[in-house]
Amino acid sequence: MSSARDVTDASFEADVLKSDKPIMVDFWAEWCGPCRAVSPILDKIAEENADKLDIVKLNVDDNPATAEKYGITSIPAMYVFKNGEVVKRVIGAKPKPALEADLAEFLA
């Protein structure tokens, strides 16, 4: 399973909005094939860049309030938050080089 930790509607503010470094939220669901495909890629990116970027997962089925608040209509959706604000949106499963290119400004 994933090495990224789970966040919930209840923990979102403390875990994500108050994070002192950039944090990517992977909005996903159990039934979503592309979500399952991208999960190990995100784990690898998180592992290789632990000092620069945190990656957490939010199950949209179990935490509809946060998914609704951020207008998540398509998953996987990966939003990078910095200082409590969404600074980057990546929608859809992508291979590792494409995700790293999307996240280059946070991984540098």
Side-chain angles (χ1 to χ4, degrees):
M1 201 53 209
S2 171
S3 65
R5 74 181 192 278
D6 290 318
V7 295
T8 63
D9 285 345
S11 71
F12 194 83
E13 183 176 354
D15 288 344
V16 176
L17 301 181
K18 295 193 170 151
S19 175
D20 54 1
K21 69 178 173 180
I23 184 163
M24 176 193 248
V25 180
D26 174 21
F27 292 92
W28 73 289
E30 201 67 51
W31 50 264
C32 168
C35 298
R36 289 196 306 274
V38 81
S39 187
I41 297 168
L42 294 176
D43 286 346
K44 193 82 178 142
I45 292 171
E47 202 177 288
E48 293 169 357
N49 299 281
D51 56 328
K52 301 176 196 117
L53 178 73
D54 282 337
I55 299 181
V56 297
K57 301 174 77 59
L58 183 121
N59 184 316
V60 297
D61 290 337
D62 297 342
N63 302 282
T66 302
E68 187 177 318
K69 178 178 179 183
Y70 290 98
I72 304 301
T73 55
S74 177
I75 55 175
M78 294 148 281
Y79 283 21
V80 179
F81 289 79
K82 192 172 182 182
N83 302 321
E85 299 292 322
V86 177
V87 292
K88 184 82 175 179
R89 292 176 173 85
V90 180
I91 309 296
K94 297 182 178 189
K96 187 171 183 261
L99 280 171
E100 287 175 328
D102 284 337
L103 297 172
E105 64 193 282
F106 307 104
L107 305 180

